[in-house]
């Protein structure tokens, strides 16, 4: 619990620091930060509270969503290398959003986009799972499904000509620069509901680790548990992909780091991994903005650069969490 | 009155019939052992009684209900199963694994069962560090902690040392005296199974 309190306490501290980082050089920045409701017409106030703050909130929500998505992916497939990228979930969500955009029925960061993304994510995950006959095959087939869907997304992106093609292609690589306050109204409620449900079903994932036969012998249907986890996974990945695009590595790394800190119990893992995912993405996005202003570094590179060393270090030191 | 009625059952696995026209009945408060060479269909029969696989011919009923017609929850309510090979791959504690998916009622009995099975010493150990025999006892504990009428155990004694074997046999006998019915697969000679009420050695 102490460790969790520490991780969660780092979030507001990090968020406050992140508010001070940006291209605009703002004098007396803390007075704006600690007086969020004063001087709303001031441009410094607007930069901090209408541009930076929503982006920081989005980094936390997206990071937490991906951390929890990773727990669901690894728990439901009983596989330590499963993550939304490998299962085809992310690519399915991207394709879903792109189809919605091409049909001109949704825009990036809207509820409609989440629905298109969720359908794509669920179908792709189910496809990988139904084609695979073993845990090892699931990874190989998932990579295949993911590659096909990503290629289709890439092809569509390279042939479309529309006024917003540039921001669509920007989105496809993953970026928090597109976040507006409106996106948070979609992100926050979906995250809240999906993460509570994930916490609720987490103990069934513990049982799943004993194998499908043991699940059966306790009176439960392993496939039904999986379908529930996949549905939540799809929603969580959908809400992140439809608002900020796909972000590499986080969903794989966060659960491993969380397991190292607090063991394999999935209910605690949902909370720990969510908090760690939020912290890593907040750090990565702040670094992306801070390192080379006014340029922004691609977020996927930084999540990998920050997440991977922590992941490798925990696995080397921990060792016995996974056999 | 039999608890389990196996009537003229045939089971196919991978295209060949491994259990053929087999009939038997298990009375309440009895221990029955199935023996026989590898591949003779022992585990398949156990799996069919557990409801994991279906018979190609014949019926298996528990308490007069056809196993194939029972829901997963109904099956779980009437029987407990101990699987043979257990590979834990996540570092849960022994206690955590025993508690997985159990009722609050069963969870309240964990300490009692840990002492009974001589597992108190490693109750808080990670399951990934257990020996084969210890892991097998975790599986036995997961089954015994539930109140079932019927216990199906696939080679519960195979990886145990002499002392643990004795203790498990004592527990099975005690369960029998409490009215439980036990069917287990053994790799022993018939002469070593005198503590069982019945030994089945021919499934084909």
């Amino acid at each position: 619990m102490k460790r969790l309190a520490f991780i969660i306490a780092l979030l507001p501290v990090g968020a406050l620091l992140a508010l001070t980082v940006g291209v605009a050089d703002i004098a007396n920045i803390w007075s704006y930060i600690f007086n969020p409701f004063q001087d709303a017409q001031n441009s410094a106030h607007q930069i901090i509270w209408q541009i930076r703050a929503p982006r920081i909130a989005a980094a936390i929500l997206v990071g937490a969503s991906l951390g929890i998505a990773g727990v669901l992916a690894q728990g439901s497939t009983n596989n330590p290398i499963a993550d939304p990228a490998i299962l085809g979930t992310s690519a399915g969500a991207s394709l879903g959003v792109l189809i919605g955009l091409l049909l001109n029925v949704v825009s990036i960061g809207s509820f409609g986009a989440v629905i298109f993304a969720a359908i794509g994510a669920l179908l792709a995950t189910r496809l990988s799972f139904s084609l695979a006959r073993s845990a090892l095959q699931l990874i190989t087939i998932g990579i295949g499904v993911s590659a096909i869907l990503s290629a289709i997304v890439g092809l569509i992106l390279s042939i479309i000509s529309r006024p917003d093609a540039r921001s669509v292609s920007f989105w496809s690589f993953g970026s928090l620069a597109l976040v507006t306050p409106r996106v948070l109204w979609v992100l926050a409620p979906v995250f809240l509901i999906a993460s509570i449900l994930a916490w609720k079903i987490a103990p069934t994932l513990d049982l799943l680790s004993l194998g499908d036969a043991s699940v059966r012998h306790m009176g439960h249907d392993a496939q039904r548990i999986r379908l529930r986890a996949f549905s939540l996974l799809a929603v969580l990945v959908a809400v992140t992909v439809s608002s900020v695009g796909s972000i590499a590595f986080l969903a794989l790394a966060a659960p491993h780091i969380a397991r190292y800190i607090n063991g394999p119990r999935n209910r605690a893992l949902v909370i720990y991994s969510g908090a760690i995912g939020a912290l890593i993405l907040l750090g990565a996005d702040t670094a992306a903005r801070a390192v080379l202003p006014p340029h922004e570094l691609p977020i996927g590179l930084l999540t990998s650069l920050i997440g991977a060393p922590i992941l490798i270090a925990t696995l080397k030191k921990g060792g016995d969490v996974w056999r | 009155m039999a608890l389990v009625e196996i009537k003229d059952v045939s089971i196919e696995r991978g295209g060949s019939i491994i259990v053929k026209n087999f009939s038997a009945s298990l009375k309440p408060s009895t221990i029955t052992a199935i023996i026989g060479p590898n591949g003779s269909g022992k585990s398949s029969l156990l799996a069919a009684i557990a409801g994991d696989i279906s018979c190609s011919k014949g019926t298996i009923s528990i308490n007069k209900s056809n196993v194939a017609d029972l829901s997963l929850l109904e099956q779980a309510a009437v029987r407990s199963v101990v699987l043979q090979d257990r590979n834990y791959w996540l570092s849960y504690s022994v206690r955590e694994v025993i508690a997985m998916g159990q009722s609050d009622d069963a969870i309240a009995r964990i300490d009692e069962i840990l002492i009974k099975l001589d597992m108190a010493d490693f109750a808080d150990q990670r399951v990934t560090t257990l020996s084969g025999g210890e892991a097998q006892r975790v599986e036995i504990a997961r089954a015994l902690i539930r109140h079932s009428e019927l216990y199906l155990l696939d080679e519960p004694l195979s990886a145990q040392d002499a002392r643990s074997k004795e203790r498990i046999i004592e527990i099975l006998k005690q369960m029998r005296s409490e009215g439980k019915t036990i069917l287990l697969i053994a790799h022993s000679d018939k002469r070593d199974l005198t503590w069982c009420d019945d030994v089945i050695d021919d499934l084909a």
Side-chain angles (χ1 to χ4, degrees), chain A residues 78-80 205-207 209-211 213-214 216-221 259 263-266 320-323, chain B residues 50-52 72-73 75-76 79 81 83 86-92 96-97 100-102 128 130 139 142 146:
Chain A
N78 240 341
N79 197 317
L205 300 180
D206 291 330
L207 187 58
S209 76
L210 296 179
S214 291
R216 238 195 90 84
H217 294 153
M218 301 296 283
H220 302 288
D221 182 347
R259 255 183 231 107
R265 287 177 311 278
N266 280 288
D320 69 337
V321 177
W322 298 93
R323 194 165 208 180
Chain B
D52 293 348
L72 288 180
L73 277 173
Q75 289 176 358
R79 54 94 181 107
V81 185
L83 293 171
R86 168 55 70 201
N87 267 314
Y88 298 108
W89 60 310
L90 276 167
S91 63
Y92 294 101
E96 284 166 352
V97 167
M100 278 176 196
Q102 307 279 10
T128 41
L130 300 180
E139 283 307 290
R142 288 186 58 239
R146 310 173 62 217

Side-chain angles (χ1 to χ4, degrees), chain B residues 15 23 28 33-34 44 60 62 66 85 99 102 138 151 166 180 185:
Chain B
S23 295
I34 315 176
S44 297
I60 298 174
I62 303 177
N66 191 336
D85 286 314
Q102 307 279 10
V138 174
Y151 290 83
E166 284 293 307
K180 313 289 191 192
I185 293 174

Side-chain angles (χ1 to χ4, degrees), chain B residues 55-95:
Chain B
C55 312
S56 50
K57 184 165 126 334
T59 56
I60 298 174
S61 52
I62 303 177
N63 269 337
K64 289 191 174 165
S65 313
N66 191 336
V67 171
D69 297 336
L70 295 176
S71 71
L72 288 180
L73 277 173
E74 287 167 335
Q75 289 176 358
V78 74
R79 54 94 181 107
S80 292
V81 185
V82 174
L83 293 171
Q84 186 186 359
D85 286 314
R86 168 55 70 201
N87 267 314
Y88 298 108
W89 60 310
L90 276 167
S91 63
Y92 294 101
S93 74
V94 167
R95 211 180 271 280

Side-chain angles (χ1 to χ4, degrees), chain A residues 172-229:
Chain A
S172 74
F173 289 108
S175 168
L176 277 84
L178 302 167
V179 170
T180 58
R182 195 183 60 120
V183 170
L184 292 177
W185 287 105
V186 178
L187 202 46
V190 176
F191 162 77
L192 203 66
I193 293 167
S195 57
I196 290 170
L197 291 176
W199 185 82
K200 270 190 91 92
I201 68 158
T204 63
L205 300 180
D206 291 330
L207 187 58
L208 213 51
S209 76
L210 296 179
D212 287 14
S214 291
V215 175
R216 238 195 90 84
H217 294 153
M218 301 296 283
H220 302 288
D221 182 347
Q223 287 301 71
R224 189 177 293 174
I225 294 173
R226 255 181 218 116
L227 185 60
R228 251 184 258 153

